[in-house]
Amino acid sequence: MTDSFTRRAALGLASAAAMTLALPAVASDWKPQKPVEMVIMAGQGGGADRLARLFQSIIQKENLSSMPILPVNKGGGSGAEALRYLKDKEGDAHTIMATLNSYYTTPLRTDIGVDIEEYTPIARMALDTFVLWVNADSDIQTLDDYVAAVKAAGGEWKMGGTGTGQEDSLVTAMLEKEFGIKHTYVPFKGGGTVAKNLVGGHIDSTVNNPSEQMGFWQAGKSRPIAAFTTDRIAVFPDVPTMTELGYPMTYTMQRSFVAPPGTPPEAVAYYTAMFEKLAESEEWQTYASEKALQTDLLTGDALQAYFLEERQRHNDILTSMGEIAGS
Amino acid sequence: MDVFSLLMDGFATSLSPLNLMIVLLGVTAGLFIGAMPGLGSVNGVAIVLPLTFIVPPSSAIILLCAIYYGAMYGGAVSSILLGIPGASTAVATTFDGRPMAQQGKAGLALIAAAVASFVGGTISVILFTVFAAPLADLALKFGPAEEFALVLLAFTTFVGLGGDDVLKTIVMICLGLVLSTVGLDLISGQPRLIFGDLPGFYSGISFLVLAIGVYGIGEVLHTIETSKTAPQVTPARITFKELGAGFRAMNRLWRTMSVGSFLGFFVGMLPAAGATPASLMAYGIARSTSKKAESFGKGNIEGVAAPETANNAASTGSLLPMLTLGIPGSPTTALLLGGMVMWGLVPGPMLFIEQPDFVWGLISSLYTANFAAVLINLALIPLFVWALRMPFTVLCAIVLVLCIVGGFAPSQKMHDVWLIAGFGIAGYLLRKADYPLAPLVLALVLGPLMEKSFRQTLIAEQGNVLAFIERPLSGTFIALAVLFFLLPLAKYLRKSPKEGVAPAR
């Protein structure tokens, strides 16, 4: 079985390979009739991609779906490609999409003819947090030290990030607005590269996700200053939050799944149940706690309400950054 | 010795029957995946990744690395036989591998590629074993300025060579650089050169699309025109005699292969670079330092050995930052990283301390994978060569299908297929007009890297251009780049002292 599967997979015929999977214990009479396409709003190898593939592997391993899940990367145009693709799949019950915050920001920044309100929300699996980091060799220990150092640098303080309009640039903009400071924002290709450049001393600070700095932090090469959360992050019990320091700045990256507009309700119920099972699985729980992900599951109308609220919030942030004209 | 005993423990893991079987399986699968144009190690690893839950993590990473290695070997096969790079890392192999096949020396070229891959792989695994920890710090020293300097060096090793018509070379580089700017700008996030508003161009023009177009389709069109009915390829039989001759020929190329191995390992180690620039640089250096530089591109065995040692060495090198820093050096290692995360391993500085069994099991399996790959590859050469005996009319159609499938598979967009067709016709016309295609491809590979690191440096240094030469590492690379650029000029001046008074431009 393994042998023949590997060989067929080698020919790129993964979709054709028949997999005998036990039926999931889901109380619904609808189930997928063909492999389910999991569209990923980002390119291969990035944080979003890795997480989506983790979900896929847990689904496969735990037999949560009666059909294989096939991840497809459509990362073009900060997710614009994926959003347009999903819109064209209207009514298709065999497509789901893994989202990140570009789900709101991309349609806000460029008119790509999609309205996320039309999509069918399925489940919000996690919220990724943001932390302000400096190199462990630096003298900065507290947020006050940080603000003083950035002010002293007179605009030449190098903040690394993944690109203008990306999540970390929004967090940087929030910092600048709150403290009246100015950074030189240096964009890199991905969060991992940003983390490496901080440790290598090529930039002065970052607002990485905990997972991106975890390895360096454990090796004592980077130092967390403050978390952009309301409550302290479990793996960093000594790191104060912005809120407790008196600056109520919070920002999270959502990791959710949505379906195309007009997905049949039975299919939505099936996928919702699938992700509810996934959320309870031990692998996911372990991974999430190690990587400091917040795992409050949100589904259905509550998720849609959350999406629309977040879209409005991003609209405000982007407007204040001067990235969009505002509405 | 500490490293040695750890490695021996590792061999105990990697030589277990299950792991040995996995290596053989992975290498064979990788070989075929790599040999398919368009499908490379990224695709192979991505497909197999979710299946690795059935075996323990150390066996799983061994399987993925075996596929990775096998694909590196396999990439050369279609480069040589069909003139289409099997993977982006094998583009430089087409430059001389294809002409060799056309001269009926396909077997020899394949042997050269296999042996060179083995040498490159082995030297770099030894470097990896001994220097993994200290080199991780070196990789950290590479910031945007150093990346720019390195890419500039890669450019000059290739273009400062003369040989081809200099003006045409410059035209092709400029064209490649223009193509490389298509897509979303990293700094501002704005789309550039998207031809109105074609969403297909948002993700830029993939280098593989250009390579398959100009080399694959372009080559087919060219062959149809020149050969009409008679097959142009005269496939050689592969015998033990030829195998012996191959080994003897390779034995003379130790200098090229060691340069390729060291270069490949170091370039592969740097998170931004990877195996493709490494192989192109190795080819450029081999050509510029060769006494028979003019025979490069016309079927010189050295031109096959250099890039093949470098790309295999680089594939090992790129594992280094992944394991020690948690930073992938290539798209494939990014997937391997994802796999390790799934198995609950945290790549990074602590991995070597916390999971020595895993790390050394992996390193030792690189030795076995390398060994398995060269044996399987050599054993399969007759099969590969036999494929060339197909009637031209059949082969031609197969190549076209492979080109189209290969272009479609990675992105799954018809947009790329149309681009391939367009580039194929353009490539054919450019070839007819005697424009060199290699600089075009090179510019598209290195252009985005160069632009990105250049702008990052200028932003970080508040627009201070001197930053590139003030930093010791990047300053050294820039100096080397200048040297490589002036070298051919000096050669030219010495060769023709009478005409050499023309003022330097």
Side-chain angles (χ1 to χ4, degrees):
Chain A
M1 169 76 192
T2 316
D3 184 358
S4 70
F5 193 92
T6 314
R7 277 161 193 274
R8 281 195 237 174
L11 294 169
L13 294 175
S15 60
M19 284 196 65
T20 31
L21 289 172
L23 292 181
V26 172
S28 163
D29 33 7
W30 187 89
K31 52 183 192 293
Q33 299 305 306
K34 56 178 189 177
V36 179
E37 204 174 57
M38 180 196 278
V39 181
I40 301 169
M41 285 183 77
Q44 280 181 351
D49 181 52
R50 266 142 68 179
L51 197 63
R53 285 174 195 272
L54 174 75
F55 286 131
Q56 180 225 358
S57 59
I58 299 176
I59 292 171
Q60 221 114 321
K61 192 182 172 193
E62 302 282 323
N63 288 343
L64 298 179
S65 166
S66 57
M67 279 287 167
I69 308 278
L70 301 175
V72 183
N73 294 82
K74 299 222 179 273
S78 301
E81 188 190 349
L83 286 160
R84 288 249 277 243
Y85 180 80
L86 203 68
K87 189 183 160 78
D88 294 340
K89 287 270 179 176
E90 185 159 352
D92 185 335
H94 292 88
T95 308
I96 54 176
M97 179 170 82
T99 67
L100 49 159
N101 283 7
S102 51
Y103 184 58
Y104 336 111
T105 52
T106 300
L108 285 172
R109 280 158 51 90
T110 346
D111 181 20
I112 53 167
V114 301
D115 181 359
I116 59 166
E117 210 171 334
E118 294 171 6
Y119 296 141
T120 314
I122 294 180
R124 186 186 78 189
M125 298 305 294
L127 289 172
D128 208 345
T129 53
F130 288 83
V131 174
L132 177 64
W133 298 87
V134 293
N135 190 306
D137 295 337
S138 106
D139 295 330
I140 296 167
Q141 303 287 347
T142 66
L143 183 63
D144 291 340
D145 293 350
Y146 179 79
V147 173
V150 178
K151 279 195 174 141
E156 296 196 3
W157 187 270
K158 286 170 251 172
M159 170 71 93
T162 53
T164 310
Q166 300 295 326
E167 293 75 9
D168 48 39
S169 77
L170 304 187
V171 178
T172 306
M174 286 162 72
L175 274 176
E176 294 187 341
K177 203 175 158 197
E178 182 73 43
F179 297 110
I181 49 177
K182 188 88 193 72
H183 300 92
T184 296
Y185 181 80
V186 189
F188 293 90
K189 198 99 194 206
T193 316
V194 175
K196 177 221 144 197
N197 275 281
L198 178 72
V199 174
H202 307 291
I203 47 178
D204 301 313
S205 63
T206 73
V207 284
N208 276 120
N209 296 132
S211 65
E212 293 160 348
Q213 281 283 358
M214 195 64 83
F216 293 121
W217 174 69
Q218 284 170 342
K221 296 196 174 204
S222 60
R223 180 182 302 142
I225 297 298
F228 294 84
T229 53
T230 43
D231 301 315
R232 289 198 176 195
I233 300 170
V235 287
F236 307 123
D238 303 328
V239 179
T241 69
M242 285 290 180
T243 310
E244 68 182 79
L245 291 171
Y247 309 102
M249 282 184 283
T250 58
Y251 191 81
T252 49
M253 166 90 95
Q254 52 92 9
R255 311 283 192 187
S256 310
F257 284 90
V258 299
T263 304
E266 315 86 76
V268 176
Y270 179 88
Y271 294 124
T272 307
M274 179 175 90
F275 283 109
E276 279 168 354
K277 290 249 169 215
L278 175 59
E280 284 162 21
S281 74
E282 200 191 317
E283 278 115 323
W284 167 237
Q285 290 293 342
T286 317
Y287 177 88
S289 69
E290 274 171 8
K291 298 288 171 188
L293 293 171
Q294 300 172 354
T295 55
D296 31 353
L297 188 76
L298 211 56
T299 56
D301 292 342
L303 179 56
Q304 188 72 317
Y306 166 82
F307 280 152
L308 297 178
E309 198 183 297
E310 281 292 298
R311 177 169 70 172
Q312 187 54 48
R313 187 166 166 234
H314 281 86
N315 187 36
D316 297 345
I317 302 173
L318 287 169
T319 311
S320 74
M321 284 173 72
E323 276 288 306
I324 54 172
S327 55
Chain B
M1 198 183 144
D2 201 24
V3 167
F4 187 72
S5 65
L6 284 166
L7 184 64
M8 284 303 122
D9 288 348
F11 270 118
T13 312
S14 65
L15 290 178
S16 75
L18 172 71
N19 289 343
L20 213 52
M21 196 191 81
I22 281 177
V23 163
L24 290 176
L25 201 73
V27 163
T28 315
L31 209 54
F32 282 99
I33 294 172
M36 296 279 290
L39 286 184
S41 55
V42 186
N43 312 82
V45 170
I47 293 165
V48 182
L49 195 56
L51 303 176
T52 52
F53 271 113
I54 45 175
V55 290
S58 54
S59 304
I61 190 90
I62 288 172
L63 172 65
L64 296 182
C65 286
I67 292 177
Y68 185 33
Y69 255 55
M72 279 291 164
Y73 276 80
V77 173
S78 67
S79 293
I80 291 170
L81 294 181
L82 309 174
I84 319 166
S88 60
T89 50
V91 169
T93 314
T94 57
F95 301 160
D96 278 281
R98 176 64 176 155
M100 280 183 80
Q102 284 170 334
Q103 294 155 17
K105 291 190 284 190
L108 188 63
L110 288 168
I111 293 169
V115 173
S117 295
F118 178 70
V119 171
T122 307
I123 291 183
S124 64
V125 176
I126 294 171
L127 287 174
F128 189 107
T129 313
V130 184
F131 296 117
L135 284 178
D137 288 335
L138 181 66
L140 275 180
K141 294 223 164 58
F142 263 73
E146 285 76 18
E147 274 169 32
F148 172 77
L150 183 80
V151 174
L152 189 70
L153 181 59
F155 247 116
T156 49
T157 53
F158 212 80
V159 300
L161 305 169
D164 299 312
D165 187 328
V166 176
L167 194 62
K168 281 179 173 172
T169 307
I170 292 172
V171 167
M172 294 311 275
I173 288 176
C174 292
L175 190 62
L177 288 176
V178 170
L179 290 178
S180 81
T181 58
V182 172
L184 285 181
D185 173 26
L186 173 81
I187 310 291
S188 67
Q190 294 302 311
R192 299 188 297 191
L193 297 180
I194 51 165
F195 295 86
D197 185 25
L198 288 176
F201 282 113
Y202 270 45
S203 42
I205 294 174
S206 154
F207 149 76
L208 204 59
V209 165
L210 179 71
I212 291 181
V214 297
Y215 288 111
I217 307 266
E219 176 80 22
V220 167
L221 293 176
H222 180 77
T223 319
I224 291 173
E225 185 193 44
T226 50
S227 67
K228 296 274 188 323
T229 49
Q232 199 197 6
V233 281
T234 44
R237 261 175 229 284
I238 177 115
T239 57
F240 279 105
K241 206 175 128 199
E242 193 169 324
L243 198 63
F247 285 134
R248 273 196 300 283
M250 294 307 287
N251 202 19
R252 286 195 292 272
L253 298 177
W254 278 107
R255 192 185 57 89
T256 305
M257 289 197 292
S258 355
V259 171
S261 304
F262 282 94
L263 182 81
F265 183 74
F266 285 103
V267 175
M269 196 183 82
L270 306 170
T276 307
S279 61
L280 290 164
M281 274 173 86
Y283 182 86
I285 288 179
R287 186 171 135 180
S288 61
T289 56
S290 170
K291 289 193 188 71
K292 294 180 286 182
E294 66 287 345
S295 70
F296 271 76
K298 300 185 185 90
N300 187 327
I301 190 166
E302 221 177 325
V304 175
E308 279 302 305
T309 33
N311 70 22
N312 268 59
S315 63
T316 313
S318 68
L319 289 174
L320 194 137
M322 181 200 84
L323 288 171
T324 55
L325 303 175
I327 310 287
S330 68
T332 316
T333 47
L335 285 172
L336 293 177
L337 188 73
M340 290 173 62
V341 171
M342 282 182 213
W343 307 314
L345 297 162
V346 184
M350 301 306 284
L351 187 73
F352 277 68
I353 299 160
E354 287 172 356
Q355 305 279 349
D357 293 353
F358 173 83
V359 171
W360 291 99
L362 167 64
I363 293 175
S364 65
S365 79
L366 295 178
Y367 288 91
T368 45
N370 224 339
F371 203 67
V374 75
L375 287 184
I376 294 176
N377 198 345
L378 287 176
L380 287 175
I381 286 178
L383 177 75
F384 294 142
V385 174
W386 172 80
L388 274 190
R389 296 199 191 172
M390 265 184 270
F392 175 72
T393 43
V394 175
L395 193 63
C396 189
I398 291 177
V399 171
L400 268 179
V401 170
L402 284 178
C403 286
I404 291 167
V405 172
F408 182 76
S411 64
Q412 305 186 7
K413 285 190 296 194
M414 271 313 283
H415 174 81
D416 284 349
V417 177
W418 298 124
L419 273 184
I420 285 181
F423 284 136
I425 294 166
Y428 163 74
L429 294 175
L430 286 171
R431 184 187 302 234
K432 262 186 107 69
D434 254 349
Y435 279 87
L437 296 172
L440 173 73
V441 176
L442 181 87
L444 185 64
V445 182
L446 298 179
L449 264 175
M450 191 155 127
E451 188 205 341
K452 182 180 62 132
S453 51
F454 184 70
R455 290 172 66 185
Q456 281 167 344
T457 313
L458 288 187
I459 290 174
E461 301 294 333
Q462 315 293 331
N464 177 16
V465 186
L466 292 176
F468 293 108
I469 44 175
E470 280 166 3
R471 302 169 63 113
L473 269 174
S474 87
T476 313
F477 286 136
I478 300 258
L480 279 174
V482 171
L483 188 73
F484 268 103
F485 194 75
L486 295 179
L487 202 66
L489 192 69
K491 262 189 194 165
Y492 174 77
L493 288 179
R494 211 169 44 207
K495 252 188 219 162
S496 50
K498 280 173 200 161
E499 310 146 54
V501 282
R505 272 177 290 177

